[in-house]
Amino acid sequence: MNDQNKPPSTADFQEVKDYLQSLQRAICNGMEQTDGAAKFQDDAWSREQGGGGLTRVLRGGQVFEQAGVAFSHIHGPELPKPATVARPELAGCSFQAMGVSLVIHPQNPWVPTSHMNVRLFVAEAQDKQPIWWFGGGYDLTPFYPNLEDIQHWHRTAKAACDPFGDEVYPEYKDYCDRYFYLRHRKETRGVGGLFFDDLNSWPFATCFNFMRSVGDSYLKAYLPIVEQRKNREFDNRQKEFQRYRRGRYVEFNLLYDRGTLFGLQSDGRTESILMSMPPSVSWKYNWQPQPDTEEAMLYRCLKPRDWLNAAAI
Amino acid sequence: MNDQNKPPSTADFQEVKDYLQSLQRAICNGMEQTDGAAKFQDDAWSREQGGGGLTRVLRGGQVFEQAGVAFSHIHGPELPKPATVARPELAGCSFQAMGVSLVIHPQNPWVPTSHMNVRLFVAEAQDKQPIWWFGGGYDLTPFYPNLEDIQHWHRTAKAACDPFGDEVYPEYKDYCDRYFYLRHRKETRGVGGLFFDDLNSWPFATCFNFMRSVGDSYLKAYLPIVEQRKNREFDNRQKEFQRYRRGRYVEFNLLYDRGTLFGLQSDGRTESILMSMPPSVSWKYNWQPQPDTEEAMLYRCLKPRDWLNAAAI
């Protein structure tokens, strides 16, 4: 990919696919090491209409109650209907979509939940150059937030973006705050991170490098936080608060998350899509935290904030 | 309402409202008696844009882990956008919507979950007769199904419909099977019951009588099943299966349920809408029941069936 204006080739797409598969391996290895007990169970699947994936799930670990890391590469002769609503010019195009998506639900409520996704979408009409775009990002969802953790998370996100321009981190940090927002709760999902979509304003190779930079930085952003908090003692009240807040995760994913809704509407593999669901969840009618409790602290974090320059939660 | 062709008046709407409020009281009283320990906590609320409601929730009972029974009557000068997508002719009309909606999550996995809803919607344009329709129904969601219970449920539903015509029960039983369907799971939510919507083909008084017949039959349909099963012993495995299957309830309500989605999109009162969420839920990646277990039996029920003529599950 020396000539940056050349349209991407089959070999370029294959290179992205190779990267995604190696990213999945690296992330699962890192998670297993940090967990120290449980191993991922692998589920390879294929799809009648074309393509398939490898869903890897670790359950009941020492550190992770559930960690799901999915790779998929699906293709087909015609874009699924939900994908062409916003882009009617692509109706009838053949397509391929590949990505890695993960959600980590830790045992310990002092450890935040995290999510990461990187993906490439390609639409091809006969005798035309392929239309492609990258998307992805990661966001952190603490239960008992810690400013040091949040700043480490955002510093790592910023470092992944900075080689691509000073405006990149602020732009995708803002997009993340807007995307992971529960309108019916007037809450962000957590303390954010990065979110990008429809990225094709740079040459293909640069976009791919950016996606790689985001993907490669995820473990560096998350695992130090896990290591820092995983041995802190917790009690039932804190576990119960974690289960309660996981309800918001469910609400976001089923009400708003584009990947989840697109997957379910286009007859994706339900179990791989819903591996993001938390292993144990609770809802409590009209629950509110008592003022000045550790639980109340979280609610000060559930709006867009300039975390890198925050002096306190 | 002697003249059945007369358009309904303010007094008629008030009569429906009075009925709905008395229905809520009767249902809550019945639930408290059956529970024998816990009482409903009442939350009266009002809505800036007009109207309000009374949400009543019983939690941590002897029999009911959570029972939510909500009355609401909201009105406003202009229909919320989501309501006029399918009926563009109503854009700009003032409206009122009133109803009772409930979801019961029992402690004991031998007792099915149940849901009931009855509602009246009225849209009014200046100098025109009001446009109105009724909707409602109830459906049963067992964990460990019992043919006797299911047949009692459907017999009671049929008895509520029969005075209004022989075709009524089969039509609304079918509608229920189609409505409470999880497309991404290829499963019905449970064993069905009744569902009707947009009902205005009969005179107003007849429609109201039908809604009343459905509303009044709900306790007769549900409580005998609760009484029959509430003292049966259960173990952790069965409780865990109940929590797992409650995940499907969450998926249905957040992905498909019109009332939930309409409520959240039109800035309804989130806590009253989501009081339908189960108190404790679990998801397990790619879980399947072992053949010939009691858990597998449920999966034979999750498709439309002619329950009244079924000889076995």
Side-chain angles (χ1 to χ4, degrees):
Chain A
M1 289 187 286
N2 287 322
D3 176 359
Q4 295 215 328
N5 293 315
K6 209 180 66 172
S9 65
T10 306
D12 295 327
F13 298 145
Q14 182 62 42
E15 206 185 329
V16 177
K17 183 171 176 177
D18 292 344
Y19 166 72
L20 292 170
Q21 290 175 306
S22 72
L23 178 67
Q24 183 189 34
R25 279 191 298 275
I27 289 173
C28 290
N29 289 344
M31 294 285 165
E32 281 181 352
Q33 269 179 26
T34 296
D35 190 80
K39 298 284 173 195
F40 280 88
Q41 303 297 313
D42 295 3
D43 249 349
W45 53 274
S46 64
R47 185 174 167 272
E48 216 174 285
Q49 310 95 309
L54 176 65
T55 301
R56 305 188 64 186
V57 177
L58 178 158
R59 258 189 90 93
Q62 207 163 241
V63 173
F64 302 117
E65 196 172 327
Q66 180 175 293
V69 184
F71 163 79
S72 65
H73 177 211
I74 64 167
H75 50 83
E78 198 167 343
L79 272 163
K81 274 234 173 72
T84 60
V85 173
R87 294 186 178 84
E89 71 279 13
L90 299 186
C93 283
S94 73
F95 78 102
Q96 51 179 322
M98 55 178 87
V100 166
S101 181
L102 65 85
V103 175
I104 312 297
H105 295 290
Q107 298 274 15
N108 192 320
W110 295 102
V111 180
T113 285
S114 79
H115 157 261
M116 194 277 284
N117 170 240
V118 281
R119 58 188 181 274
L120 166 64
F121 203 97
V122 183
E124 288 167 290
Q126 260 193 328
D127 307 322
K128 285 192 183 160
Q129 290 185 2
I131 295 163
W132 53 268
W133 63 91
F134 287 90
Y138 45 68
D139 74 301
L140 191 72
T141 309
F143 304 96
Y144 294 98
N146 187 299
L147 185 60
E148 193 189 319
D149 295 348
I150 302 172
Q151 291 188 328
H152 165 78
W153 179 262
H154 277 278
R155 265 198 312 272
T156 313
K158 183 171 184 300
C161 294
D162 280 351
F164 300 85
D166 288 347
E167 73 295 352
V168 177
Y169 166 75
E171 182 180 340
Y172 294 153
K173 189 265 183 204
D174 283 356
Y175 199 175
C176 188
D177 287 335
R178 277 178 282 125
Y179 180 77
F180 291 105
Y181 183 69
L182 288 84
R183 213 172 54 82
H184 65 293
R185 298 285 190 181
K186 297 188 172 59
E187 292 174 3
T188 54
R189 178 159 89 169
V191 297
L194 300 172
F195 185 84
F196 62 101
D197 203 357
D198 302 307
L199 176 65
N200 55 15
S201 50
W202 299 320
F204 185 86
T206 312
C207 291
F208 176 29
N209 280 338
F210 177 69
M211 182 190 87
R212 195 151 35 181
S213 183
V214 171
D216 291 344
S217 69
Y218 166 72
L219 280 187
K220 294 179 230 169
Y222 188 50
L223 287 189
I225 300 172
V226 179
E227 291 293 347
Q228 193 74 10
R229 311 290 160 204
K230 71 180 187 184
N231 294 319
R232 183 160 175 184
E233 278 187 34
F234 61 91
D235 60 19
N236 269 344
R237 169 200 171 124
Q238 289 151 351
K239 188 70 193 173
E240 195 38 51
F241 182 59
Q242 180 196 52
R243 287 202 192 96
Y244 172 74
R245 290 296 315 176
R246 283 174 174 170
R248 302 292 209 274
Y249 221 82
V250 172
E251 292 173 20
F252 181 85
N253 282 11
L254 298 182
L255 289 171
Y256 303 111
D257 186 61
R258 286 179 210 162
T260 304
L261 298 179
F262 172 79
L264 296 177
Q265 285 162 5
S266 60
D267 294 320
R269 184 173 182 262
T270 294
E271 289 291 345
S272 296
I273 299 163
L274 296 184
M275 65 149 213
S276 61
M277 294 290 109
S280 59
V281 191
S282 71
W283 273 269
K284 283 191 195 27
Y285 170 73
N286 215 15
W287 188 86
Q288 308 285 346
Q290 295 297 310
D292 302 318
T293 55
E294 280 178 314
E295 289 76 25
M297 206 158 81
L298 174 63
Y299 290 74
R300 294 209 293 274
C301 299
L302 302 179
K303 55 188 172 210
R305 288 182 57 178
D306 176 7
W307 285 112
L308 288 180
N309 295 303
I313 276 174
Chain B
M1 289 187 286
N2 286 323
D3 176 359
Q4 296 216 326
N5 292 314
K6 207 180 65 170
S9 65
T10 306
D12 295 326
F13 299 144
Q14 183 61 44
E15 205 186 329
V16 176
K17 183 171 175 175
D18 292 344
Y19 166 71
L20 292 169
Q21 290 175 306
S22 72
L23 178 66
Q24 183 189 35
R25 279 192 298 275
I27 289 174
C28 291
N29 290 344
M31 294 284 165
E32 281 181 352
Q33 269 180 25
T34 296
D35 190 81
K39 297 285 172 193
F40 280 89
Q41 302 297 312
D42 293 4
D43 249 350
W45 54 273
S46 63
R47 185 174 167 274
E48 217 174 282
Q49 309 94 310
L54 176 65
T55 301
R56 306 188 65 186
V57 176
L58 178 158
R59 258 189 91 92
Q62 206 162 243
V63 173
F64 301 117
E65 195 173 329
Q66 180 176 294
V69 184
F71 163 78
S72 65
H73 176 212
I74 64 169
H75 49 85
E78 198 167 342
L79 271 165
K81 275 233 172 69
T84 60
V85 173
R87 293 187 179 87
E89 72 279 11
L90 299 186
C93 282
S94 73
F95 77 101
Q96 51 179 321
M98 55 178 87
V100 166
S101 180
L102 66 86
V103 175
I104 312 297
H105 295 290
Q107 298 275 13
N108 192 320
W110 295 103
V111 180
T113 285
S114 78
H115 157 261
M116 193 276 283
N117 170 240
V118 280
R119 59 190 179 274
L120 166 64
F121 204 97
V122 183
E124 287 167 290
Q126 260 193 325
D127 307 322
K128 284 192 183 162
Q129 290 186 1
I131 295 162
W132 53 268
W133 62 91
F134 288 89
Y138 45 67
D139 74 301
L140 190 74
T141 309
F143 306 97
Y144 293 99
N146 187 299
L147 184 60
E148 194 189 317
D149 294 348
I150 302 172
Q151 291 188 329
H152 166 77
W153 179 262
H154 278 277
R155 263 198 313 272
T156 313
K158 183 172 184 300
C161 296
D162 280 351
F164 300 84
D166 288 348
E167 72 296 352
V168 177
Y169 165 75
E171 181 179 341
Y172 294 152
K173 189 264 183 205
D174 282 357
Y175 198 175
C176 188
D177 288 334
R178 278 179 282 125
Y179 180 77
F180 292 105
Y181 182 69
L182 289 82
R183 214 173 52 81
H184 65 293
R185 298 286 189 181
K186 298 189 171 60
E187 292 174 2
T188 54
R189 177 158 91 168
V191 298
L194 299 173
F195 185 84
F196 62 102
D197 203 357
D198 303 307
L199 177 66
N200 55 16
S201 51
W202 298 320
F204 185 87
T206 312
C207 292
F208 175 31
N209 280 337
F210 177 68
M211 183 191 85
R212 195 152 33 183
S213 183
V214 170
D216 291 343
S217 69
Y218 165 72
L219 280 187
K220 292 180 229 166
Y222 188 50
L223 287 189
I225 300 172
V226 178
E227 291 293 347
Q228 193 74 11
R229 311 289 160 203
K230 70 180 186 183
N231 294 320
R232 182 159 175 186
E233 277 188 36
F234 62 91
D235 59 20
N236 270 344
R237 170 202 170 122
Q238 288 152 351
K239 188 71 193 172
E240 196 38 51
F241 182 61
Q242 180 196 52
R243 288 202 192 96
Y244 172 74
R245 290 297 313 175
R246 282 173 174 172
R248 300 292 209 273
Y249 222 82
V250 173
E251 292 173 21
F252 181 84
N253 283 9
L254 296 182
L255 289 170
Y256 303 111
D257 186 59
R258 286 178 209 163
T260 303
L261 298 179
F262 172 80
L264 295 177
Q265 286 162 5
S266 60
D267 293 320
R269 184 173 183 262
T270 294
E271 289 292 345
S272 296
I273 299 163
L274 296 184
M275 63 150 213
S276 61
M277 294 291 107
S280 60
V281 190
S282 72
W283 273 270
K284 284 191 196 28
Y285 170 74
N286 216 14
W287 187 86
Q288 307 287 344
Q290 296 297 310
D292 302 320
T293 56
E294 279 179 314
E295 289 76 26
M297 207 159 82
L298 174 63
Y299 290 75
R300 294 209 294 274
C301 300
L302 302 179
K303 55 189 173 209
R305 288 181 57 177
D306 176 8
W307 285 111
L308 288 179
N309 294 304
I313 277 177

